Amino acid sequence: MPRFPKCDLVSIDDLTIAEIEQIFERAADFAAALERGDRLALAEGLIMATLFYEPSTRTRLSFESAMHRLGGSVISSADMHSSSAAKGETLADTVRVVSAYADLLVVRHPNDGAARVAAEYASVPVINAGDGSREHPTQTLCDLYILQRKKGRLEGLTVAICGDLKYGRTVHSLIYALARFGANIVTVPYGGMALPDYVLERVAAERRYKLSTLTIDELKSQSGGLDALYLTPSAPHQMALFTGDDPLARVPTARPPAALDAFYVTRLQRERLNGGGADGQDYVHFDARALRSTRAQGAVVMHPLPRTDELAYELDNDPRAVYFEQAAAGVPVRMALIAWMLEGARRAARPEPAQPLVRFKTGSTPRCPNALCITRHESAYLTPRFRLAHNAGRAVLGLRCEFCERELKVEYVGHASSRRYYHFDENLYGYVRRWIEDGTLAVFETVKEAEEQGYEPYRRGPQREIMNAAEIAHACQAISTQIAADSAEPTALVVVGVVSRGAILAMRVCEALAPIMNFRPPCAAVDVYADDPVLRRIDGATDNLCVDGREVVLVDDVINSGWTVQRAMTALWRHGRPAAVKLAVLIDRGHRALPIRPNYIGRSIPTARGERVSVRLAPGDTGDAQKGVDRVVIYSLLEPHVASEQAP
Amino acid sequence: MTLTTPNHKATVAMDTEAIRRALARMAHEVCERNPGMMELVLIGVLRRGAVLAHRIAAILPSLGVAAPPVGTLDISSYRDDGKGRPGDPRILGRDIPFTLDGKPVLLVDDVLYTGRTVRAALSALTDLGRPTAVQLLVLIDRGERELPIRADYVGRNLSAPPGQRVYVKLSEIDGVDSVVISERKA
């Protein structure tokens, strides 16, 4: 019995143009065979498993139908959220287990990059049936198949893509594919739903596509009115226009297209708006008027379905409305894909990504900035992987997540062997490249994060002490006295310190509060840089800390921009709804970027931006002798360009 | 939102002219704090904060800076979950058709009180992107904060006992511009 060779379809770019054409030939044969009612036995004895972590009707049914038509059989878990995933099983474990039950997996998942994870952990081939807002390659195969049949070619078409371009995964896959066929792509985003940068950067880097943004007025004056103008009743405030490079001349042509070959309309991906979002009242509405202009006479209207109300029903009988044919193509195209995968799927060697993987020292890999990335949701076993971003210039250090393709813009870089950190600047680029090769690069969002991990600034100017041990002790005492005086209900108090010096201070505040109030409030620490910032008891008690209805005193050593406090509050709100939050800090150094004000301040010290305030505290409940090391110093950081001249 | 009934004592704290002056002054302050207004975007909290955000945006061109883009956040006010426990404000929706990445944001609301709405707004804004800074502008600061939140620009400080309510009426919604303090409706 033939088995599927292990070869996955995660991105539409996993297929070469020749392979796509091969699949389309097969699809046409299968369509004819279905028409004739032939019985096929190509996949006899083989089992396909469909794992859908998100609702789907047509994709899942057309996959299952395709497999049955090929003589194979299907096992299905249509609603993974009610089954093993609800019990907390990871995606990796699920696909490993199901690999033993089936010969081919079809996976849909709400997180960006999930398909790549499934492909890496499954021992049988995986087909991506949609991962978050990233890609949906099999829908694109259906789209291209219909386009080719209607237009007779795929090269050099002009396609207008309208609607939600931000979250529409079908749109992203389609754009990657059309770019390979040298299409002109006109994007007409619904307000705020423009193509994400990472999609633009990918087609720019890999296909030398250039984005030119034109306002509607510019478009009008250049082209005498473009059909796309008819797409929305309330016109989008800007249009983006792609023009394919001429590969020979490599000169982008900035002309608006002469005639449109297709309109590709998508629905608003409400489920990805995260509860909020545009209400969609003025979303694209496409009706017969749009097809009346001469420029659009030959254009077909496409939609990945389901439609909400962006396509008028009056279009359905127009021969140019091909969306039901698109849907019908789902079965023969997926049959052709399965057959192609079964028959060896001999693939041309894929080019290695241009940029090498960035190696980090164990435990210091940064997290992906995309909250929906699969690495953020399955962090127990997944380590994010990054490559230098496509557009990596020397001035900005961008790292691109291998799973979701989003870019992490790096503020601070560190050198893991010398434990020094630097603000990134283009003079450091050469060093950073070397550190990447050596696996000694560390990256940080803030100075605080760098220092929490034991990194020191590369060079510091002369330092001066602004508080000594006695003054720190006095400030803690004064803060505690005020807290006690302000507290109407001492037993409702909870003290939470921000790791790590804020937590030490929190313990000291608790110590000082105990004799004043005749009650020692519970004390916990919150690590704001953890993936899942939980409250951890640090007062020896083991019961869970409840913040619901409690008066929380949040303690940190230095307040600067306020972002750390904001993160700490977000963490608190995950645990409940405090009756009040008071903020106590040892030092307020100004430079607030958020509307946050501490309630209790040990000392306010105006500082320049280039200065650092460093607090040193003896850990935990150490004796008075040890507290002698406590001090607060202020020093200035050397300008990055000065520092880099002397970098290792 | 209806206002006071005749049996309730109501005090007018600000009239049309006072509101206009306060907004004009705050617009000046915003310009001063943000030289050139580079990339500043306005986010108004629905509904009256959004109206105020649009008014501030409309004043700015007369001060020689381009009108910044305005988005809105829809945040529920305090709600009771039916179990007798007060809930926290929640984000019900947003209309922000531009990116916040790398931009300073001016958050606009009508009344600053416990600070819980602002906290919910801050967390929504940081979910949405990575703004460089968030400044807060309010027409009325009535004190009595439960969270360590403060406004960068305040139209007027008003102290009203917890039993009373501060109503901001704006002509776009209520047909008239005024700020009224009155007994809380039963």
Side-chain angles (χ1 to χ4, degrees):
Chain A
M1 184 175 67
R3 296 265 311 193
F4 287 98
K6 172 71 178 166
C7 105
D8 312 289
L9 180 66
V10 172
S11 163
I12 188 69
D13 281 349
D14 288 343
L15 296 170
T16 63
I17 288 183
E19 286 164 350
I20 291 174
E21 281 164 354
Q22 230 175 312
I23 289 172
F24 289 172
E25 278 170 33
R26 276 313 275 282
D29 293 346
F30 283 131
L34 289 177
E35 194 87 347
R36 291 191 301 269
D38 291 358
R39 279 184 62 86
L40 300 165
L42 221 63
E44 202 162 8
L46 293 173
I47 297 174
M48 175 176 81
T50 52
L51 301 177
F52 277 60
Y53 291 82
E54 262 191 341
S56 158
T57 316
R58 64 214 82 235
T59 303
R60 187 169 61 84
L61 289 183
S62 68
F63 261 114
E64 296 183 357
S65 167
M67 191 64 182
H68 284 301
R69 296 276 192 206
L70 287 172
S73 37
V74 176
I75 53 178
S76 179
S77 181
D79 187 4
M80 290 300 291
H81 274 302
S82 65
S83 52
S84 57
K87 294 175 199 147
E89 187 173 48
T90 63
L91 177 62
D93 285 1
T94 305
V95 298
R96 271 189 192 136
V97 168
V98 179
S99 289
Y101 306 159
D103 306 289
L104 175 66
L105 303 187
V106 178
V107 178
R108 169 173 290 191
H109 198 280
N111 288 124
D112 301 337
R116 182 172 300 279
V117 174
E120 284 180 12
Y121 284 87
S123 55
V124 298
V126 169
I127 298 178
N128 179 5
D131 59 335
S133 56
R134 224 180 60 89
E135 282 210 49
H136 191 352
T138 61
Q139 176 65 44
T140 296
L141 284 177
C142 300
D143 299 341
L144 294 176
Y145 177 72
I146 287 295
L147 256 180
Q148 193 197 40
R149 290 186 72 85
K150 294 294 165 185
K151 291 286 158 186
R153 68 195 157 98
L154 287 172
E155 290 76 16
L157 294 177
T158 297
V159 180
I161 304 182
C162 326
D164 174 1
L165 311 185
K166 185 174 180 186
Y167 298 110
R169 55 190 170 207
T170 59
V171 166
H172 302 162
S173 286
L174 182 61
I175 283 175
Y176 299 143
L178 286 173
R180 290 162 72 194
F181 287 101
N184 285 313
I185 307 163
V186 181
T187 62
V188 187
Y190 167 61
M193 299 287 168
L195 272 184
D197 286 345
Y198 74 93
V199 175
L200 292 175
E201 279 159 16
R202 176 160 155 188
V203 288
E206 293 176 357
R207 310 288 162 209
R208 296 196 307 278
Y209 266 53
K210 194 167 170 285
L211 171 77
S212 38
T213 305
L214 301 175
T215 65
I216 289 209
D217 288 341
E218 284 169 333
L219 267 179
K220 268 185 190 158
S221 66
Q222 283 198 21
S223 64
L226 191 84
D227 315 279
L229 285 182
Y230 298 113
L231 290 181
T232 54
S234 67
H237 58 280
Q238 66 173 29
M239 295 179 116
L241 175 76
F242 279 115
T243 50
D245 275 3
D246 177 342
L248 296 172
R250 293 189 183 181
V251 175
T253 52
R255 282 192 320 273
L260 287 168
D261 295 300
F263 285 107
Y264 193 92
V265 187
T266 62
R267 85 193 155 87
L268 186 59
Q269 304 275 313
R270 284 177 198 280
E271 64 273 29
R272 304 204 194 286
L273 292 177
N274 195 15
D279 55 10
Q281 273 171 7
D282 54 351
Y283 195 70
V284 180
H285 182 75
F286 199 90
D287 58 23
R289 272 189 312 158
L291 292 175
R292 270 186 215 132
S293 86
T294 46
R295 202 186 282 278
Q297 288 288 316
V300 294
V301 181
M302 305 178 72
H303 193 296
L305 300 179
R307 64 175 153 186
T308 40
D309 53 1
E310 58 277 359
L311 282 182
Y313 283 86
E314 67 184 20
L315 279 174
D316 293 358
N317 295 322
D318 191 303
R320 287 169 293 181
V322 299
Y323 31 87
F324 290 120
E325 288 175 71
Q326 255 172 292
V331 174
V333 168
R334 289 185 172 101
M335 286 169 76
L337 175 67
I338 294 169
W340 176 81
M341 291 183 83
L342 186 58
E343 287 164 0
R346 268 178 300 279
R347 294 182 171 186
R350 294 288 174 272
E352 277 293 300
Q355 299 287 0
L357 269 183
V358 178
R359 292 192 294 128
F360 291 96
K361 230 178 140 78
T362 316
S364 62
T365 308
R367 65 176 192 170
C368 178
N370 171 17
L372 293 174
C373 179
I374 187 72
T375 59
R376 295 271 295 264
H377 290 258
E378 311 241 325
S379 55
Y381 63 96
L382 275 180
T383 310
R385 291 201 298 260
F386 295 93
R387 294 179 192 276
L388 279 179
H390 291 300
N391 63 339
R394 300 174 68 92
V396 179
L397 182 62
L399 301 180
R400 184 168 45 90
C401 173
E402 176 101 319
F403 293 95
C404 74
E405 300 186 62
R406 300 308 198 283
E407 193 178 316
L408 173 73
K409 292 206 169 60
V410 176
E411 281 283 321
Y412 295 92
V413 295
H415 184 237
S417 318
S418 62
R419 310 296 279 181
R420 292 282 191 269
Y421 73 83
Y422 315 77
H423 188 271
F424 181 77
D425 123 308
E426 61 186 307
N427 296 308
L428 283 173
Y429 189 78
Y431 294 109
V432 167
R433 287 302 297 251
R434 214 185 310 148
W435 299 344
I436 289 174
E437 280 161 31
D438 302 345
T440 51
L441 177 73
V443 305
F444 313 104
E445 274 178 60
T446 60
V447 164
K448 189 177 173 86
E449 188 185 3
E451 296 191 350
E452 283 300 328
Q453 294 186 25
Y455 284 72
E456 292 276 321
Y458 176 61
R459 288 275 294 200
R460 52 173 79 179
Q463 61 181 45
R464 104 192 117 84
E465 186 175 279
I466 48 179
M467 282 177 103
N468 60 26
E471 287 168 318
I472 293 172
H474 180 76
C476 282
Q477 189 65 43
I479 288 174
S480 307
T481 311
Q482 286 177 48
I483 292 172
D486 288 355
S487 172
E489 180 54 59
T491 52
L493 271 185
V494 171
V495 182
V496 176
V498 177
V499 165
S500 54
R501 288 178 194 85
I504 298 173
L505 287 171
M507 283 294 285
R508 295 192 185 173
V509 166
C510 281
E511 246 171 73
L513 281 173
I516 310 174
M517 304 196 308
N518 290 322
F519 167 72
R520 195 189 167 94
C523 188
V526 57
D527 181 0
V528 295
Y529 293 106
D531 278 338
D532 181 24
V534 291
L535 294 186
R536 186 168 47 82
R537 288 295 285 258
I538 50 173
D539 52 4
T542 50
D543 52 322
N544 277 335
L545 187 67
C546 172
V547 298
D548 241 352
R550 308 294 288 263
E551 196 174 304
V552 177
V553 177
L554 192 62
V555 185
D556 203 0
D557 57 346
V558 181
I559 184 166
N560 181 17
S561 64
W563 286 112
T564 306
V565 174
Q566 159 69 16
R567 280 181 171 225
M569 288 218 280
T570 304
L572 279 181
W573 256 257
R574 272 189 216 155
H575 285 75
R577 179 190 186 273
V581 176
K582 299 273 173 65
L583 176 61
V585 296
L586 186 61
I587 307 283
D588 179 356
R589 60 163 295 197
H591 304 294
R592 208 79 74 248
L594 294 177
I596 286 174
R597 175 167 53 200
N599 303 74
Y600 310 107
I601 300 172
R603 191 173 290 187
S604 285
I605 294 168
T607 55
R609 280 195 191 276
E611 287 177 322
R612 277 286 300 148
V613 173
S614 166
V615 175
R616 258 168 255 169
L617 297 170
D621 30 325
T622 42
D624 285 344
Q626 262 222 292
K627 283 183 184 166
V629 306
D630 292 357
R631 63 198 294 238
V632 180
V633 297
I634 185 167
Y635 57 86
S636 43
L637 294 177
L638 293 187
E639 290 296 309
H641 66 271
V642 180
S644 62
E645 280 164 17
Q646 303 155 42
Chain B
M1 190 179 302
T2 52
L3 293 167
T4 55
T5 55
N7 0 351
H8 286 132
K9 215 176 79 184
T11 323
V12 175
M14 286 176 100
D15 59 10
T16 312
E17 182 55 21
I19 291 176
R20 191 196 61 75
R21 275 202 309 270
L23 289 178
R25 171 178 54 77
M26 289 193 285
H28 271 105
E29 290 172 6
V30 171
C31 279
E32 228 172 81
R33 278 262 308 260
N34 301 275
M37 302 283 287
M38 293 301 285
E39 302 207 274
L40 186 81
V41 298
L42 269 52
I43 305 288
V45 177
L46 285 180
R47 293 161 68 200
R48 287 167 183 80
V51 169
L52 293 173
H54 280 287
R55 287 200 196 175
I56 294 279
I59 297 173
L60 291 171
S62 69
L63 305 179
V65 291
V70 180
T72 59
L73 277 178
D74 189 357
I75 303 176
S76 74
S77 50
Y78 304 95
R79 69 204 156 82
D80 213 303
D81 58 5
K83 294 173 197 147
R85 283 169 43 195
D88 241 48
R90 273 188 321 152
I91 302 296
L92 300 178
R94 56 174 182 252
D95 181 11
I96 303 178
F98 42 80
T99 177
L100 302 180
D101 290 345
K103 293 180 180 170
V105 173
L106 179 67
L107 183 67
V108 182
D109 203 357
D110 54 350
V111 180
L112 175 59
Y113 185 30
T114 60
R116 290 184 189 269
T117 306
V118 173
R119 191 212 63 84
L122 284 180
S123 114
L125 291 178
T126 46
D127 277 354
L128 214 57
R130 296 175 82 180
T132 53
V134 180
Q135 300 169 10
L136 176 62
L137 183 151
V138 295
L139 183 61
I140 302 293
D141 180 350
R142 61 170 293 192
E144 302 292 324
R145 213 81 75 239
E146 290 171 4
L147 306 181
I149 300 287
R150 58 122 182 86
D152 296 90
Y153 314 97
V154 177
R156 180 164 301 180
N157 289 295
L158 277 186
S159 61
Q164 298 204 316
R165 252 206 91 147
V166 175
Y167 293 97
V168 171
K169 298 194 277 181
L170 296 172
S171 58
E172 290 89 333
I173 295 170
D174 312 289
V176 61
D177 272 4
S178 72
V179 177
V180 177
I181 305 175
S182 75
E183 299 294 325
R184 187 182 287 279
K185 280 173 294 180

